[in-house]
Amino acid sequence: MSDELKYLSKLAAMGRLDRRAFLGRAAALGVTATFANTMLAGAARAADPVKGGTMRVGLGGGQSTDSFDPALATNEAPNTMLSFFGEKLFEVSPEGELVHRLAEDHGSDSEARVWTFKIRKDVPFHNGKKVTPEDVKATMERHSDETSQSGALGLMQGIDAMRAENDDFIVELKEPNADLPYLMADYHLVIQPNGGKDDPAAGISAGPYTVVEEDAGVRYIFEKFPDYWDESRGHVDRIEVLVINDDSARVSAVQSGQVHMINRVPPRIATLMARAPGVEVKSVPSRGHYVYVMHCNTAPFDNNDLRMALKYAINREEMLEKILFGHGTIGNDTPINAAYPLFTEIEQREYDPEKAAFHYKKSGHEGPIVFRTSDVAFPGALDAAQLYQQSVAQAGMQLDVIRSPGDGYWSEVWNKEPFCNSYWNGRPTQDMMLSTSYQTGADWNETKFSNAEFDKLLVQARGELDEAKRKEMYHRLNMILRDEGGVICPMFNNFVDAISDQVEGWHDDPNFPLMNALAPVKCWLKA
């Protein structure tokens, strides 16, 4: 049996490929209808979830300052756990398609300026109240409020008015936006009672699990919500989460059976780990990327020649080889790669010490350049910083690397210090990625980039319905970032997770680690 046919049967068993489509594609592979039907029935039986048990999860990317306020989720551990207790209007499938969740239908006017979302009826919150269009409206209002410090603020700035009418939540935009439903799938936009205005960190939403215990940055316990509305999720009775930021300890935890799954498998040991009994390594190409961010409004990084010098002084090929060990692809100083719709190729920037030295001299800067990093920034961040320090030196520059403590890095260093490490897991569309992290005024504009042409073109691209024109606009937007922005993107990373052989129901998902953070709620344990 071919790997392709196995994959197709797996998709069909999970409900992501209907029977007619499966039989048609199987026939194209030369498989008889009788055999295909037999295979489909067997796959369906194998995919029947086992109910019960406790799923134990080891997560890197957590700290003691973490909160269950969806607006403040900044790193991987809390971002993941939002999917345990939270529900949104939409999700995005592994194939990039929109999946209805609390919104059971949606549509817009001909200009994509007025959008209507029909809210699913009789879905209970954990506090016993039912989800209403008013709760959805209040949620979006809170994330539109600058005082909330929401990571989704940049996505919400295009909204002119919102209202709830009968079963509908209606949004009127300042400018057309063909991607608005995808924006509503952002992981921050968990629907909360009264939008979370009363107690945003209470961990109350309409998801499959309720929060039972919260020891921030250490340990969490979730229990199955008995009134959860979707029977296809929430198979285990209980989820226990350990925050394990140390790579070796996290790997040991899944190898020893202490936990059933982990995120952030260090790429340097992924191949060796895959050979160990009882553990499967899942390496999934993604939109995720590791970055070095410079504040464009802070000296000396307000000088574009210095920024260009630091871009030419990074050896991307070396980092890809020595940090990702093949679990990724090369970057080009923009957050967008070929995994995104409407992507167009841009000439690859190469490591060039001579050009780096030229721009450095032109900048007029003298003395060391301070760069801050941490082992929680991304797997291999400290080793990558050493490689960068060496390649910068070849261009006649001095990079002083300061290692910051992992606990507090995302609250005390990131988005505050003018030159540091960061990482992104990407977004489903270019507009979401660019609006969240590079639009003027966005709360998560980590490079403090502000460019009038960029902002104007981003709005135009958002509402352009002609695909060819839209591709041209995104090409120009990425060229502006590449040549004028404050981001250095050496590489795009695979999501490298590991699961015990006791876990079933896994499927690859390029949207976020651990099956778009849904592995603990979609997978189950062998009987």
Side-chain angles (χ1 to χ4, degrees), residues 81 109 148 158 190 209 229 260 290 297 323 342 345 408 414 500 520:
M81 289 183 282
D109 64 359
S148 73
V190 167
Y209 293 90
W229 64 278
H260 294 103
Y290 302 154
N297 63 354
I323 303 301
L342 308 180
E345 292 287 346
W414 176 76
S500 160

Side-chain angles (χ1 to χ4, degrees), residues 42 56 92 168 190 199 268 436 443:
R56 296 180 175 86
V92 178
D168 298 333
V190 167
D199 188 358
R268 70 179 183 277
T436 301
D443 198 53

Side-chain angles (χ1 to χ4, degrees), residues 2-301:
S2 71
D3 290 340
E4 184 176 356
L5 190 58
K6 290 179 182 177
Y7 178 68
L8 292 175
S9 66
K10 183 177 179 181
L11 291 180
M14 292 188 296
R16 289 165 48 207
L17 186 69
D18 64 32
R19 180 176 177 276
R20 181 189 297 272
F22 171 77
L23 294 176
R25 292 171 70 172
L29 294 173
V31 177
T32 66
T34 300
F35 181 77
N37 277 307
T38 301
M39 184 179 178
L40 189 58
R45 288 192 298 272
D48 287 341
V50 175
K51 302 293 185 179
T54 298
M55 184 79 77
R56 296 180 175 86
V57 184
L59 295 178
Q63 55 187 9
S64 61
T65 55
D66 288 340
S67 163
F68 277 149
D69 180 355
L72 303 180
T74 58
N75 49 318
E76 205 161 304
N79 296 357
T80 300
M81 289 183 282
L82 289 179
S83 294
F84 302 174
F85 70 85
E87 278 286 2
K88 301 168 297 190
L89 295 185
F90 299 97
E91 289 173 359
V92 178
S93 76
E95 295 77 29
E97 299 170 348
L98 208 60
V99 178
H100 289 88
R101 298 301 295 165
L102 292 182
E104 64 178 5
D105 199 4
H106 72 284
S108 75
D109 64 359
S110 60
E111 295 183 347
R113 188 187 294 266
V114 180
W115 288 84
T116 300
F117 304 93
K118 185 178 181 181
I119 305 305
R120 196 179 298 274
K121 287 185 177 181
D122 297 323
V123 174
F125 283 121
H126 300 150
N127 62 4
K129 296 181 179 179
K130 297 293 179 67
V131 177
T132 67
E134 286 78 12
D135 294 309
V136 176
K137 175 176 176 287
T139 296
M140 302 307 167
E141 285 176 343
R142 190 170 79 86
H143 289 275
S144 302
D145 184 351
E146 292 188 7
T147 63
S148 73
Q149 299 180 308
S150 174
L153 180 62
L155 304 178
M156 310 301 287
Q157 289 180 336
I159 295 177
D160 187 44
M162 296 179 281
R163 65 183 186 274
E165 289 185 1
N166 300 318
D167 297 331
D168 298 333
F169 168 59
I170 300 171
V171 176
E172 297 180 14
L173 302 175
K174 299 173 185 176
E175 305 286 346
N177 188 345
D179 289 340
L180 184 66
Y182 283 89
L183 269 61
M184 296 296 176
D186 183 80
Y187 61 86
H188 298 94
L189 299 180
V190 167
I191 306 304
Q192 297 176 279
N194 195 29
K197 294 179 180 180
D198 304 317
D199 188 358
I204 295 176
S205 182
Y209 293 90
T210 60
V211 179
V212 174
E213 182 177 320
E214 177 188 3
D215 186 358
V218 180
R219 183 172 182 265
Y220 304 82
I221 295 177
F222 304 83
E223 289 186 353
K224 179 69 183 294
F225 179 41
D227 296 325
Y228 184 55
W229 64 278
D230 185 354
E231 294 183 358
S232 70
R233 299 185 179 189
H235 305 302
V236 298
D237 295 328
R238 181 181 174 103
I239 300 174
E240 294 184 3
V241 175
L242 293 176
V243 175
I244 312 174
N245 286 323
D246 181 80
D247 290 346
S248 298
R250 195 167 58 256
V251 168
S252 295
V254 72
Q255 288 180 324
S256 66
Q258 181 185 5
V259 299
H260 294 103
M261 60 180 66
I262 62 171
N263 65 345
R264 292 188 169 194
V265 173
R268 70 179 183 277
I269 67 169
T271 301
L272 181 63
M273 188 178 175
R275 299 172 186 160
V279 176
E280 295 180 46
V281 173
K282 306 292 187 178
S283 183
V284 183
S286 77
R287 305 177 187 95
H289 51 285
Y290 302 154
V291 288
Y292 295 71
V293 293
M294 303 170 282
H295 289 186
C296 297
N297 63 354
T298 304
F301 308 105

